[in-house]
Amino acid sequence: MNSDVLITGIKRAVKYLREKKKFLDNINVFPVEDNDTGDNLFETLNQAIKEIKDTSPHFLKKFAEKTFFTARGNSGLIISQFFSGFLGELDGKNKIDPEIFVKAFETGRKRAYDAVSKPLEGTILTAIKETEKALKKSLSKGDGFVDTLKFSLKNGEEAVLRTKEMLQELREKNVPDAGAYGFYYIFKGIVECYETYGDRGDNRKGKS
Amino acid sequence: MKIVTDESTIIPEEFSEYVEIIPLRLTCGKRDYTGAGHNEILRAIEEGKYFKTGMPSPAIFLEVYRKYKNDKVISVHVSSKISGVINSAITASKMARKEGIDVVVVDSKSAGPACGIGIMRGIRYYESKKRTTIQKVAKVIAESAQKSYAVMAVPESHRLIKIRPIEGLKRFFKNPDYFVKFLRSRGGFPVLALIGEGIHIIEFAREKSKALEYMINFLKEKTKNKRISIMYFYSTEKRFIYDLEELIENDFEIKNKWIARMTPVTLSAVGRYAFGFSFYIDE
């Protein structure tokens, strides 16, 4: 993987959030039923990406920095901090091998947990944590990069669905956490781009 | 020392020397009302508009902390159980500290009116001490806010149903006790008690006089005639405060008294004619 593929992946993530934001809004019942998590996640990333030129050097770092300004709601704040750690470590790298990717993901996860006064499981934090666990597990088995990403995406989605049982508000409505599901779509965008483009990242920025 | 808070907090203007209030994000459909004044919000309310609040981004907090880089900053916010604003402040404060800015973030573990009392007591404590630290002032603020109570009448309560911070009301029909009270009042408006992080309905009242009675009873029950410091607050009608003052100041010993107008964001949530008071028992 390289930075260009990651940029394309983030664009695809934004596209997914645009498509899924109504769905995410509808299942947003925790901590309160204010039905705006999809919109908050989408706007946090979309506003940030709109402000950076495709050809801008250090696109990833700039994108992460912009989300600090555009963060909306708790989920937006958490994803902003995740990207600050994750992309901060990957920015400018011509080659991102699986070990570097997982290490950066870990930094992102730590920043995400640090962003809230009382980190709570059953939320977007759980989706990030469980995805990271799966990344590490797959990597330790010696899987290839694509397989590692696909395995962690699948495990991440299962963790998202398990959030239904983790918080009373979600149990009552029988829905997974909207922020957690939002993270799944963001990660899905990145994983799919790597599946599509592999290490051929040149001139892919405009595509999603 | 500078205290940074956000628009959820209710605090009298006379403390503005010490306090900077960061506006919450306020929208109505596609229109952005962030930072709008009372008159603009009032006009929108009269046009039947409903608002949605959102927390400011950490970048906004960081910008304000940077402004006071030569001061010691205490950033005080309503409970994390009521609003996510404190998370934005915490994130910004970590970055500020890396830049050498001295910021302490306080979760008041209370709602806006009690948070205001906590801040005022913190300022008075700071003024009374020749030598103190912001950690000590922050402790006074947190303890005072948590020990404060507030009571509020909300005649335009239909607005609360749509506003996030007081979403508990949305569930009131699930609570048989509230439902009985509501029916007994023949469709009155709620008189709310804000205790710590919780918001409870004391009773429903159809007339202002009845609301005043419930509020005074709550005050009597909580203070047992001990000396209090009190902050009256209102959304649009200051004259309602005069009625409260008359009733309270005849029967209670008051150490400190303040009057505050609710912030535009609070007005957008509770609507017109809302009024109440927060108080602290002075041991």
Side-chain angles (χ1 to χ4, degrees):
Chain A
M1 187 182 282
N2 58 36
S3 294
D4 285 353
V5 171
L6 209 46
I7 293 167
T8 314
I10 287 167
K11 288 184 176 176
R12 187 172 290 194
V14 174
K15 193 176 148 210
Y16 268 127
L17 288 177
R18 177 181 284 130
E19 286 168 12
K20 300 291 181 183
K21 67 178 181 173
K22 282 258 153 46
F23 162 71
L24 297 174
D25 285 346
N26 286 337
I27 61 167
N28 171 208
V29 297
F30 181 84
V32 287
E33 200 171 333
D34 48 6
N35 307 117
D36 61 1
T37 295
D39 200 43
N40 284 340
L41 280 172
F42 171 69
E43 289 297 338
T44 299
L45 303 195
N46 191 46
Q47 291 297 327
I49 215 158
K50 277 198 317 200
E51 290 180 28
I52 316 166
K53 283 183 185 162
D54 277 348
T55 52
S56 174
H58 302 291
F59 183 100
L60 295 176
K61 192 169 174 229
K62 282 181 186 164
F63 170 74
E65 283 169 1
K66 288 284 178 195
T67 62
F68 188 64
F69 290 83
T70 59
R72 284 196 187 183
N74 268 330
S75 295
L77 174 68
I78 291 168
I79 204 68
S80 156
Q81 288 306 292
F82 170 78
F83 277 138
S84 156
F86 177 57
L87 299 180
E89 289 213 2
L90 299 179
D91 179 65
K93 290 207 168 14
N94 291 326
K95 188 174 185 306
I96 300 166
D97 63 34
E99 287 76 16
I100 291 174
F101 186 90
V102 174
K103 177 80 180 48
F105 200 99
E106 185 183 345
T107 307
R109 187 257 304 156
K110 285 179 183 164
R111 289 271 181 91
Y113 272 78
D114 277 351
V116 286
S117 58
K118 290 172 191 156
L120 199 60
E121 296 303 335
T123 64
I124 186 170
L125 293 172
T126 302
I128 295 171
K129 187 178 82 177
E130 293 300 321
T131 304
E132 183 198 335
K133 265 192 198 169
L135 281 168
K136 286 180 171 170
K137 190 176 173 185
S138 182
L139 199 62
S140 68
K141 285 193 298 182
D143 292 342
F145 204 172
V146 171
D147 288 338
T148 296
L149 291 175
K150 283 166 77 174
F151 176 78
S152 52
L153 181 66
K154 184 173 168 287
N155 275 262
E157 186 178 23
E158 284 166 9
V160 169
L161 296 175
R162 284 198 300 274
T163 62
K164 279 183 191 181
E165 300 301 322
M166 295 174 79
L167 293 163
Q168 191 190 337
E169 288 83 350
L170 303 176
R171 262 196 306 274
E172 280 173 9
K173 298 273 179 178
N174 192 32
V175 290
D177 180 69
Y181 227 141
F183 180 79
Y184 164 76
Y185 286 120
I186 291 167
F187 192 57
K188 186 176 157 92
I190 294 169
V191 172
E192 284 183 357
C193 272
Y194 187 61
E195 266 189 278
T196 309
Y197 299 122
D199 292 323
R200 295 171 295 119
D202 53 328
N203 302 318
R204 304 287 173 192
K205 290 174 186 170
K207 299 182 180 178
S208 60
Chain B
M1 181 190 72
K2 197 77 188 180
I3 292 176
V4 174
T5 187
D6 62 82
E7 255 190 297
S8 314
T9 301
I10 299 175
I11 194 157
E13 270 185 29
E14 64 205 75
F15 289 87
S16 58
E17 180 196 342
Y18 286 104
V19 181
E20 166 129 4
I21 298 175
I22 295 179
L24 295 184
R25 206 161 54 79
L26 186 67
T27 52
C28 173
K30 298 237 169 202
R31 183 158 171 197
D32 187 1
Y33 281 87
T34 308
H38 288 94
N39 291 343
E40 198 177 342
I41 300 298
L42 196 53
R43 267 198 305 277
I45 287 174
E46 282 162 357
E47 288 165 11
K49 289 178 178 162
Y50 289 89
F51 299 89
K52 193 166 179 60
T53 55
M55 64 194 206
S57 74
I60 292 171
F61 278 97
L62 184 59
E63 197 183 316
V64 173
Y65 297 156
R66 280 176 179 152
K67 205 163 94 181
Y68 301 114
K69 63 182 177 195
N70 297 323
D71 284 305
K72 307 235 179 250
V73 179
I74 306 177
S75 200
V76 187
H77 307 282
V78 300
S79 165
S80 57
K81 286 190 179 167
I82 299 173
S83 159
V85 174
I86 194 153
N87 292 328
S88 213
I90 287 171
T91 301
S93 71
K94 284 176 183 161
M95 304 192 82
R97 272 183 226 119
K98 282 182 190 164
E99 296 177 15
I101 304 167
D102 206 352
V103 184
V104 174
V105 179
V106 176
D107 182 343
S108 72
K109 296 196 170 112
S110 64
C115 191
I117 286 252
I119 291 173
M120 291 188 290
R121 285 184 59 89
I123 291 171
R124 290 290 179 251
Y125 171 81
Y126 174 74
E127 287 175 334
S128 70
K129 302 282 172 190
K130 283 187 180 154
R131 281 186 188 176
T132 188
T133 61
I134 54 166
Q135 283 74 18
K136 280 185 187 162
V137 179
K139 194 167 175 245
V140 170
I141 291 173
E143 286 175 357
S144 305
Q146 284 159 37
K147 285 182 185 170
S148 297
Y149 299 92
V151 60
M152 172 165 59
V154 189
E156 292 194 328
S157 57
H158 56 281
R159 304 193 74 81
L160 289 177
I161 311 294
K162 296 199 168 198
I163 304 293
R164 191 171 63 113
I166 310 179
E167 113 288 353
L169 265 181
K170 203 173 172 182
R171 299 177 184 175
F172 103 91
F173 279 107
K174 285 185 184 171
N175 186 322
D177 183 41
Y178 290 168
F179 197 60
V180 169
K181 284 176 178 177
F182 180 69
L183 291 178
R184 201 169 53 206
S185 76
R186 286 176 292 152
F189 57 84
V191 178
L192 307 174
L194 291 75
I195 306 170
E197 295 165 318
I199 298 169
H200 314 273
I201 298 172
I202 301 174
E203 264 299 351
F204 290 87
R206 283 194 75 183
E207 302 92 23
K208 192 182 80 185
S209 58
K210 206 70 188 162
L212 290 170
E213 188 186 316
Y214 294 137
M215 292 163 122
I216 300 297
N217 287 343
F218 179 81
L219 183 61
K220 278 183 185 157
E221 185 194 315
K222 293 295 172 196
T223 61
K224 307 213 181 329
N225 295 323
K226 287 179 189 152
R227 192 166 68 150
I228 55 170
S229 290
I230 190 164
M231 174 177 72
Y232 301 100
F233 54 84
Y234 63 97
S235 65
T236 54
E237 308 297 320
K238 194 175 180 182
R239 62 196 162 94
F240 292 174
I241 300 304
Y242 303 139
D243 299 332
L244 266 175
E245 276 182 306
E246 200 180 317
L247 286 167
I248 290 172
E249 287 166 28
N250 283 340
D251 287 343
F252 295 86
E253 192 187 343
I254 309 288
K255 186 183 175 193
N256 295 297
K257 177 179 86 170
W258 303 281
I259 297 177
R261 188 173 185 186
M262 291 177 183
T263 59
V265 157
T266 319
L267 166 65
S268 79
V270 299
R272 297 167 295 182
Y273 319 116
F275 67 103
F277 54 89
S278 48
F279 59 96
Y280 180 93
I281 300 164
D282 280 290
E283 304 293 352

